[in-house]
Amino acid sequence: MLAYTVRRILVAIPLLIVSTFVVFLLVTFSGDPLAQLRTKQPPPTPQVIANYRHMLRLDQPILLRYWHWITGLLHGDFGPSVQGGGALNIGHELARRIVVSLRLVIAAIIIAMIIAVIVGVVSAVRQYTVTDYFLTFTGFLFLSLPIFWFALLLKEAAIWLNVHVGTRIQTLGESSPTVGPGFGNHFVDALEHLILPTIALALGTYAAWSRFNRGSMLEVLSSDYIRLARAKGLRRSRVLVRHALRTALIPFVTVTALDIAGLLSQTIVTETVFQWRGMGDFLFSAIKALDVYAVLAWLLVAAIIVIVFNLIADLLYAVLDPRIRYE
Amino acid sequence: MAATACGSKGGGGSASQGRIKGDPNTINSVANPKKGGTFTYALEKTIDNWNILTSAGNTFETAEVMDAIYPSTFIAQPDLSVKMNDDLLLSAEVTNQNPETIVYKINPKAVWSDGVPINADDFKYVWQASANCKDCDVASSVGYTSIQSIEGSGPNNQTVTVTFKQPFSDWKSLFGPLLPAHAATPKPTDEQTLADSWNHGFADNPPKISGGPYVISSYQKDQSVTLVPNPKWYGKKGPYLDKLVFRMITDATQEPPALQNHEIDAMYPQPEVDLIKTLNGMKNVVYQEDLGLIFEHFDFNLENKALTLPVRQALFTAVNRQQILDATVKQFDPDVTVLNNRMFVPGQKGYQDNVTKYGLGTGDIAKAKDILTKAGYKIENGKLIQPDGTPFPALTMQYTVGNQIRQTECQLFAQAAKQLGVTVNVQSTDSLGKTLTNADAQHHFDVVVFAWVATPFPASGNAPLYESNKARGGDWGGNYGHWVNSQADQLLQDATSNLNPDQVIKDLNEADQLISQDAYTLPLYQKPTLLAYYNTWGNIRDNATSVGPPYNVQEWGLKPSAA
């Protein structure tokens, strides 16, 4: 297992390097990072522009710039940023943003997985009943709703409740600007802000997973060993959870892990609607500013996250199914 | 759109739900706001750099926050005039014309929040960085490079004498804002440490020291800045609020819900039809729409040699500005009218019509064709033929991607050009800066539409936009279309150095007429601004200059009638 994990990581490294080079070229040729600066009013002096060109290494050949960036990574330097006139430290900023986004993504994954498993099992067990039809309908409904629209609907509903009922649902940002002192206050405030974006992201995600889990469950429930277990007189709940669900979860876990990349892209939209300053907002700002090194850093981190989640999926796969072991 | 004038009267304007109008300087005035309360104001950008005197930090949104922190010698008012900051200064006078000498007398009570007096050192620091430091990232060195010396005298060096080596007419634009020189890190002992303190010391982190009515108490990166009253505030009024929060909402569509949900108390977005409708439906929310200093214009790229004077004149004559306005901004602000000057806007002293008499922007196709015919051009089978017999090449017109209004403006321009046999290909650009600054090298545009921010200081503000590279020592500045007119160079240089305000106005208007005559740019209209806020707050009002509504932030507070 360890050898397999190491092999997977080693295979991922050249893939990462090649993809960063391609992205580096694409982002570099997509525009002039100093374009916004040049149209400032009053216009900056040629000396100021020249200083920025030098800081961003725009006066160097493109291969050398890439070389400096990739070697800089080895000692934690993600390169200079055009944002804030060089005041932005990409590494520190991205680290902060990852914590913000992962908080949202992990909460959404946990909730989506729980709902997906429950809905999948109930739908499978009550196949072709009113319950199944209802859960199928709602599943497809959430599946067909674009996440930005669903997020906006949730936000509108929350505001309506706040204005007309007097609730205090937070719709803006990842925290309030004025919170009382103490860890407890900050923790509660963070939870309050987490509610809406997590619901938006989780409900937009669970639907596909629940359909997959329903299919898996149906396949397992019709297998011989389940019939045997039932014939042996095992309790229905024990058959479902210990025998059927455990097997059905194997492909389910793989699918959910592979969906993490998609979830990250949905986070970009969710963060915009709720004005969270996570990885999505970081990428959005970096693209707008044509901040080459910031975009690259984001892609690198996103790729690493995807690889890590895939590895976790493989490990879980092995835990759930003892037959699957890699030597 | 409801421009309501009914309801109770409030401080120089009619106050009721919906749009309010009145004297721009006194609308929504309240003599004695209540003490206390938290006011939250939406910012449309995050703050990436805290030194607004650097080109990287010189954003409107950062300046809005820093209005409450760093004091300026003069402040642009809502009626577009300029007023001495009489909290900071007792007087600021020209005491000698030759050499030009200005004496600033600082209010003896004026201190930074750590108790250090605001004095000549702060003036010197800004001057040194802006004029004598090649590695300092300065947003503008205009005027500072004309200074010969700065001397402090009197108690605490609070009389500041600034002597110029060349006269500078817009001297009131200088020292806005001042930075606390004693707080510079590292201490500026040579040019490099000066650059470090300027580019990083004042830029990388929120300031701890304030010379304004508020001081920063906390900062949640990219989320909000919270200010509390400066205990050492020396001004005549305020501050009245317990807390002033600037909350960053970078997606403009999320501002109205935030206002409705009371997560913000005021917002300052770009006006749009739907937004105005939404605001009209909000309880207790009022808004102001004003015409400020930002104006939209068409520019030609004169590096395209096919764009001869008769072609430019004909195209600008054929385009109908009124039609453009009707199809765009008049949809949400009926007060917008065509703009006929590039140096001044209506409301500023010196504004006069320098466009109409040249026939530009009238939509007169017959006259446009006549101009072309007289210059030897022909229109054959709907195509313009140049005097040498070759067909006129198609033109590329660019606008900022996603800007629906500009897209319409370009399409209407193209329609007018088509009637002269000129094909205009309308394209969007996601990099306006690159489009404009490669004017000579790559012909990214032949015609372009974008906006300039006019300034309460029209001479120093406009000179860099129209002076030729020859007049600027090889630099084109903001003259992206590369217009060259030696007479205009002379007039603009005189305007920036002449101390007679009437002569400055005359020079600028003459230069503006030369631009019309050469059909280089065509002003369209002033872009409306929009300030929306809950009517429980007093003294907040639109300031459609580069300063923005927080120009009088020390006066903001709850109305006495507010619950």
Side-chain angles (χ1 to χ4, degrees):
Chain A
M1 193 66 192
L2 182 68
Y4 170 76
T5 310
V6 172
R7 204 162 56 235
R8 283 284 305 273
I9 292 170
L10 288 177
V11 168
I13 290 172
L15 197 71
L16 267 178
I17 293 173
V18 172
S19 57
T20 56
F21 183 65
V22 172
V23 174
F24 187 87
L25 292 182
L26 285 173
V27 181
T28 302
F29 288 116
S30 64
D32 174 12
L34 298 180
Q36 288 176 6
L37 196 65
R38 290 181 208 277
T39 46
K40 284 267 184 185
Q41 194 185 353
T45 62
Q47 179 68 42
V48 169
I49 299 279
N51 287 348
Y52 275 110
R53 276 181 60 78
H54 181 69
M55 183 193 85
L56 294 171
R57 304 171 188 154
L58 298 175
D59 49 1
Q60 294 177 2
I62 194 159
L63 285 175
L64 195 60
R65 274 152 67 188
Y66 179 73
W67 174 249
H68 278 146
W69 176 72
I70 205 89
T71 49
L73 285 178
L74 297 175
H75 40 90
D77 176 10
F78 283 79
S81 169
V82 66
Q83 297 173 80
L88 185 82
N89 181 320
I90 294 174
H92 288 171
E93 186 64 13
L94 201 48
R96 191 177 69 81
R97 304 284 192 131
I98 288 168
V99 174
V100 172
S101 286
L102 281 188
R103 191 166 74 197
L104 175 58
V105 170
I106 290 170
I109 288 173
I110 292 170
I111 291 171
M113 283 181 94
I114 293 170
I115 301 175
V117 168
I118 295 170
V119 169
V121 169
V122 172
S123 274
V125 172
R126 301 194 180 273
Q127 193 187 12
Y128 302 137
T129 62
V130 176
T131 311
D132 182 29
Y133 288 132
F134 174 74
L135 292 175
T136 301
F137 171 76
T138 48
F140 278 113
L141 185 72
F142 286 123
L143 203 59
S144 59
L145 284 179
I147 184 113
F148 74 93
W149 194 60
F150 183 50
L152 283 173
L153 281 182
L154 272 178
K155 196 166 170 171
E156 285 291 321
I159 291 171
W160 190 91
L161 283 171
N162 286 350
V163 172
H164 294 94
V165 182
T167 50
R168 211 172 58 92
I169 306 169
Q170 301 289 350
T171 70
L172 195 67
E174 68 219 39
S175 58
S176 301
T178 48
V179 187
F183 174 78
N185 285 327
H186 285 275
F187 183 74
V188 171
D189 181 64
L191 276 185
E192 283 178 354
H193 283 83
L194 197 58
I195 294 170
L196 286 187
T198 307
I199 293 174
L201 209 53
L203 291 189
T205 307
Y206 98 88
W209 293 356
S210 71
R211 300 306 302 159
F212 197 84
N213 197 35
R214 178 182 179 273
S216 275
M217 278 296 288
L218 284 174
E219 200 180 318
V220 174
L221 287 174
S222 61
S223 62
D224 291 341
Y225 79 93
I226 293 291
R227 276 203 292 273
L228 176 67
R230 279 183 181 159
K232 281 166 68 180
L234 287 178
R235 265 187 310 166
R236 185 180 163 82
S237 57
R238 189 177 167 85
V239 172
L240 270 179
V241 177
R242 283 292 298 270
H243 298 277
L245 183 59
R246 185 170 174 158
T247 312
L249 280 180
I250 296 169
F252 173 73
V253 167
T254 313
V255 167
T256 52
L258 290 173
D259 272 0
I260 301 298
L263 207 62
L264 274 178
S265 64
Q266 289 187 331
T267 313
I268 297 174
V269 179
T270 316
E271 285 181 359
T272 304
V273 173
F274 295 103
Q275 289 290 291
W276 275 48
R277 305 297 174 202
M279 282 179 71
D281 181 72
F282 179 89
L283 179 67
F284 198 57
S285 309
I287 290 172
K288 270 203 299 188
L290 290 172
D291 197 346
V292 181
Y293 299 109
V295 173
L296 281 169
W298 189 96
L299 290 168
L300 189 70
V301 169
I304 290 169
I305 289 174
V306 170
I307 289 168
V308 166
F309 273 99
N310 274 283
L311 274 174
I312 292 170
D314 284 345
L315 295 174
L316 281 174
Y317 205 72
V319 170
L320 289 165
D321 187 350
R323 292 173 302 173
I324 302 164
R325 297 286 183 204
Y326 299 94
E327 293 306 326
Chain B
M1 192 177 327
T4 50
C6 55
S8 61
K9 290 281 176 189
S14 54
S16 64
Q17 203 170 318
R19 183 174 180 179
I20 56 165
K21 290 182 175 183
D23 181 327
N25 283 352
T26 57
I27 189 168
N28 195 32
S29 284
V30 174
N32 295 304
K34 280 205 283 193
K35 275 280 211 185
T38 297
F39 186 90
T40 306
Y41 182 92
L43 291 183
E44 290 200 346
K45 283 199 178 82
T46 54
I47 298 176
D48 299 325
N49 180 307
W50 295 88
N51 186 352
I52 62 163
L53 294 173
T54 65
S55 58
N58 179 26
T59 68
F60 177 72
E61 286 75 9
T62 308
E64 282 186 299
V65 177
M66 301 316 283
D67 282 347
I69 305 296
Y70 291 150
S72 296
T73 52
F74 285 81
I75 300 169
Q77 302 297 301
D79 65 357
L80 314 181
S81 64
V82 176
K83 186 171 165 263
M84 187 185 80
N85 179 355
D86 54 14
D87 286 327
L88 176 72
L89 300 175
L90 299 177
S91 66
E93 286 166 4
V94 180
T95 56
N96 194 358
Q97 298 266 351
N98 190 16
E100 181 184 353
T101 307
I102 318 289
V103 175
Y104 299 87
K105 289 201 168 141
I106 300 173
N107 175 359
K109 293 180 193 159
V111 291
W112 296 101
S113 53
D114 58 359
V116 175
I118 298 174
N119 65 16
D121 291 346
D122 306 317
F123 283 69
K124 278 183 196 166
Y125 180 76
V126 171
W127 168 50
Q128 288 296 344
S130 302
N132 303 316
C133 169
K134 71 178 172 55
D135 285 329
C136 289
D137 172 9
V138 287
S140 175
S141 59
V142 175
Y144 292 107
T145 50
S146 302
I147 293 173
Q148 176 72 51
S149 65
I150 296 181
E151 299 296 333
S153 58
N156 288 326
N157 270 347
Q158 286 190 309
T159 297
V160 186
T161 304
V162 178
T163 309
F164 288 78
K165 51 190 173 197
Q166 300 142 311
F168 180 58
S169 59
D170 282 340
W171 60 271
K172 291 177 183 174
S173 68
L174 302 174
F175 308 111
L178 291 168
L179 302 181
H182 69 283
T185 49
K187 290 285 168 213
T189 50
D190 55 28
E191 197 178 322
Q192 191 49 51
T193 50
L194 176 62
D196 285 343
S197 71
W198 183 265
N199 296 343
H200 297 290
F202 281 115
D204 292 356
N205 295 297
K208 293 191 175 80
I209 293 172
S210 168
Y214 289 93
V215 59
I216 294 176
S217 67
S218 68
Y219 169 55
Q220 289 174 291
K221 193 169 182 330
D222 301 337
Q223 296 260 346
S224 61
V225 194
T226 302
L227 283 67
V228 293
N230 174 0
K232 295 280 170 75
W233 171 239
Y234 47 85
K236 297 177 191 73
K237 292 178 183 170
Y240 299 101
L241 303 166
D242 281 343
K243 279 183 182 163
L244 171 60
V245 179
F246 289 92
R247 196 147 190 193
M248 298 156 198
I249 305 178
T250 52
D251 178 8
T253 60
Q254 302 309 321
E255 286 181 75
L259 186 69
Q260 195 175 10
N261 202 28
H262 292 272
E263 283 165 299
I264 55 172
D265 296 292
M267 62 179 191
Y268 200 48
Q270 291 281 321
E272 286 169 27
V273 180
D274 289 343
L275 182 55
I276 299 292
K277 279 184 191 159
T278 307
L279 288 174
N280 278 321
M282 281 191 199
K283 202 178 167 189
N284 299 327
V285 169
V286 291
Y287 64 90
Q288 280 182 254
E289 269 189 281
D290 293 293
L291 298 176
L293 294 173
I294 302 176
F295 70 96
E296 200 89 339
H297 53 94
F298 290 141
D299 287 19
F300 282 121
N301 179 2
L302 305 189
E303 291 293 336
N304 183 345
K305 299 304 171 205
L307 283 169
T308 58
L309 178 61
V311 171
R312 300 197 306 264
Q313 285 173 327
L315 285 168
F316 274 171
T317 302
V319 70
N320 188 332
R321 292 191 297 168
Q322 191 57 50
Q323 184 194 15
I324 288 174
L325 259 64
D326 291 343
T328 56
V329 278
K330 267 189 170 291
Q331 304 277 322
F332 53 82
D333 191 343
D335 293 347
V336 184
T337 54
V338 288
L339 180 67
N340 288 312
N341 198 311
R342 302 160 189 84
M343 308 286 165
F344 303 97
V345 294
Q348 280 184 303
K349 193 182 171 196
Y351 179 80
Q352 65 180 46
D353 184 349
N354 292 329
V355 174
T356 310
K357 65 181 166 187
Y358 297 96
L360 308 181
T362 53
D364 190 340
I365 302 293
K367 189 179 171 193
K369 285 181 178 172
D370 191 46
I371 293 169
L372 290 170
T373 309
K374 280 182 181 156
Y377 289 82
K378 284 182 282 191
I379 301 175
E380 288 177 356
N381 301 322
K383 300 278 176 203
L384 184 66
I385 306 299
Q386 299 181 102
D388 64 2
T390 56
F392 186 83
L395 300 177
T396 301
M397 186 168 196
Q398 298 217 315
Y399 69 95
T400 326
V401 68
N403 189 321
Q404 186 61 48
I405 287 179
R406 285 186 181 162
Q407 189 180 1
T408 307
E409 288 163 3
C410 288
Q411 282 162 348
L412 290 171
F413 183 93
Q415 276 175 26
K418 198 177 175 189
Q419 296 183 67
L420 303 181
V422 176
T423 303
V424 175
N425 298 315
V426 176
Q427 294 176 356
S428 64
T429 171
D430 57 4
S431 182
L432 188 64
K434 186 167 185 178
T435 299
L436 294 170
T437 51
N438 282 288
D440 60 341
Q442 294 178 38
H443 282 282
H444 278 232
F445 73 96
D446 297 309
V447 200
V448 66
V449 58
F450 65 103
W452 280 132
V453 186
T455 149
F457 307 103
S460 55
N462 283 300
L465 311 184
Y466 302 105
E467 280 175 343
S468 69
N469 61 338
K470 208 171 168 186
R472 296 180 57 78
D475 168 29
W476 281 106
N479 183 357
Y480 301 127
H482 295 186
W483 179 58
V484 180
N485 186 310
S486 55
Q487 205 185 335
D489 284 345
Q490 199 71 51
L491 286 163
L492 291 165
Q493 279 176 6
D494 185 55
T496 38
S497 59
N498 202 311
L499 294 180
N500 177 350
D502 293 333
Q503 186 57 42
V504 170
I505 288 172
K506 192 164 171 283
D507 286 340
L508 291 176
N509 273 317
E510 281 180 26
D512 192 43
Q513 291 183 52
L514 288 173
I515 303 171
S516 287
Q517 211 171 302
D518 278 0
Y520 167 46
T521 77
L522 180 65
L524 298 176
Y525 57 86
Q526 291 164 273
K527 291 179 86 166
T529 55
L530 174 68
L531 174 70
Y533 51 93
Y534 279 97
N535 60 11
T536 43
W537 297 98
N539 292 332
I540 175 163
R541 63 180 70 93
D542 189 10
N543 181 327
T545 69
S546 54
V547 183
Y551 82 103
N552 67 334
V553 74
Q554 71 278 13
E555 298 178 41
W556 293 4
L558 277 169
K559 286 179 180 171
S561 56

